């Protein structure tokens, strides 16, 4: 029962470097999303996707890109890392057919930008 | 825009004491409400949810929450907490529509002391 799998679990980047956070789900969920979690700020939506080929911006999209070429995968790309992007990143997925369905979260990626 | 307010950032209690974690939401339309729990170094898990019908919803581990439309609240309660309930609790809301976007509160850290 894999659920939502995020890799890597930890990452240290230098300012200006780029990287991709991976997210995969095996539940055939249409909806996938990326959040960042910062102390005292809760979870803030970065980008989301309602299906393959469809993505949209959330609350804090600047500095991040996403794509959704398959139902299973939803990678998050940091184009040029900045210290302000130091955070814990969570990927989530759910069915899109109804608003009341449960969102399943990955274990998170802890990113530090120095 | 939807907003969720968790009134307490930290709640320390002693084991076997009752606890209430407060959550208020703002919405002019019907809303679906959720409580998620995050144990240390883990992702978020759904604790309980209100969709419609009975205003009192319960989880399998003794938590309950009551939807109060007039007060726009969805407070989480447990009559007797255990050490293992120590975690961060997030209230979230989804006002429906064509996209499934959860808005989270900033979280309440519940610490249960012996």
């Amino acid at each position: 029962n894999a659920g939502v799998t995020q890799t890597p679990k930890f990452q240290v980047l230098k300012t200006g470097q780029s990287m991709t956070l991976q997210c995969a789900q095996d539940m055939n969920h249409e909806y996938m999303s990326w959040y960042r979690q910062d102390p005292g700020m809760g979870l803030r939506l970065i980008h989301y996707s309602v299906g393959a080929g469809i993505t949209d911006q959330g609350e804090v999209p600047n500095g991040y890109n996403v794509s959704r070429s398959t139902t299973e995968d939803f990678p998050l790309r940091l184009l040029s890392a900045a210290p302000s992007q130091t955070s814990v990143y969570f990927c989530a997925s759910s069915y899109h057919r109804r608003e009341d369905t449960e969102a399943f979260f990955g274990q998170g990626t802890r990113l530090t930008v120095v | 825009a939807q907003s969720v307010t968790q009134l307490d950032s930290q709640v320390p209690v002693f084991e076997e004491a009752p606890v209430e974690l407060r959550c208020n939401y703002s919405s002019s339309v019907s809303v679906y409400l959720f409580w998620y729990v995050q144990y240390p170094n883990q992702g978020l898990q759904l604790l309980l949810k209100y969709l419609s019908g009975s205003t009192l919803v319960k989880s399998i581990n003794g938590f309950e929450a009551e939807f109060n439309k007039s007060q726009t609240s969805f407070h989480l309660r447990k009559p007797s907490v255990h050490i293992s309930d120590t975690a961060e609790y997030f209230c979230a809301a989804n006002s429906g529509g064509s996209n499934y976007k959860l808005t989270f509160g900033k979280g309440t850290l519940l610490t249960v002391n012996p």
Side-chain angles (χ1 to χ4, degrees):
Chain A
N1 292 344
V4 179
T5 302
Q6 289 183 237
T7 56
K9 287 187 169 50
F10 301 93
Q11 183 70 50
V12 179
L13 287 179
K14 294 182 179 179
T15 297
Q17 286 185 315
S18 62
M19 81 160 293
T20 300
L21 308 185
Q22 301 292 343
C23 175
Q25 53 92 7
D26 61 359
M27 298 172 281
N28 204 30
H29 286 164
E30 301 97 334
Y31 186 91
M32 296 185 74
S33 53
W34 277 101
Y35 292 87
R36 59 177 290 173
Q37 182 181 25
D38 302 290
M41 299 293 289
L43 277 80
R44 293 180 291 170
L45 182 65
I46 304 171
H47 285 286
Y48 65 96
S49 169
V50 300
I54 307 169
T55 63
D56 206 346
Q57 297 180 349
E59 182 185 354
V60 287
N62 292 340
Y64 308 95
N65 270 358
V66 292
S67 60
R68 184 94 178 271
S69 56
T70 66
T71 300
E72 294 78 20
D73 300 300
F74 191 44
L76 178 72
R77 281 183 289 277
L78 279 70
L79 309 172
S80 177
S84 61
Q85 294 178 303
T86 293
S87 187
V88 181
Y89 291 85
F90 288 100
C91 179
S93 75
S94 66
Y95 289 112
H96 183 53
R97 290 187 288 273
R98 293 178 58 182
E99 295 91 342
D100 62 351
T101 55
E102 176 182 351
F104 291 83
F105 284 81
Q107 294 294 294
T109 296
R110 187 174 294 274
L111 176 68
T112 302
V113 182
V114 298
Chain B
Q2 180 70 263
S3 69
V4 176
T5 303
Q6 292 183 244
L7 297 161
D8 305 293
S9 59
Q10 297 186 54
V11 174
V13 295
F14 288 108
E15 194 172 18
E16 298 184 4
V19 71
E20 177 179 80
L21 307 184
R22 296 179 292 170
C23 173
N24 287 90
Y25 67 93
S26 69
S27 176
S28 60
V29 298
S30 60
V31 64
Y32 304 98
L33 296 163
F34 307 80
W35 276 99
Y36 283 83
V37 58
Q38 183 181 31
Y39 298 104
N41 300 314
Q42 293 189 25
L44 280 73
Q45 305 169 37
L46 181 68
L47 187 61
L48 47 75
K49 60 185 177 183
Y50 170 77
L51 310 174
S52 63
S54 174
T55 58
L56 184 65
V57 291
K58 299 184 179 185
S59 72
I60 59 173
N61 59 351
F63 282 94
E64 62 181 35
E66 185 158 20
F67 170 63
N68 187 319
K69 187 173 182 178
S70 62
Q71 310 244 348
T72 60
S73 68
F74 191 54
H75 301 332
L76 182 70
R77 303 184 182 95
K78 189 171 185 179
S80 176
V81 293
H82 302 128
I83 298 283
S84 59
D85 292 323
T86 293
E88 189 149 25
Y89 292 80
F90 291 93
C91 184
N94 171 17
S95 56
S98 61
N99 295 313
Y100 181 88
K101 289 195 286 184
L102 282 174
T103 300
F104 284 88
K106 294 184 177 181
T108 298
L109 179 61
L110 174 65
T111 303
V112 181
N113 298 302

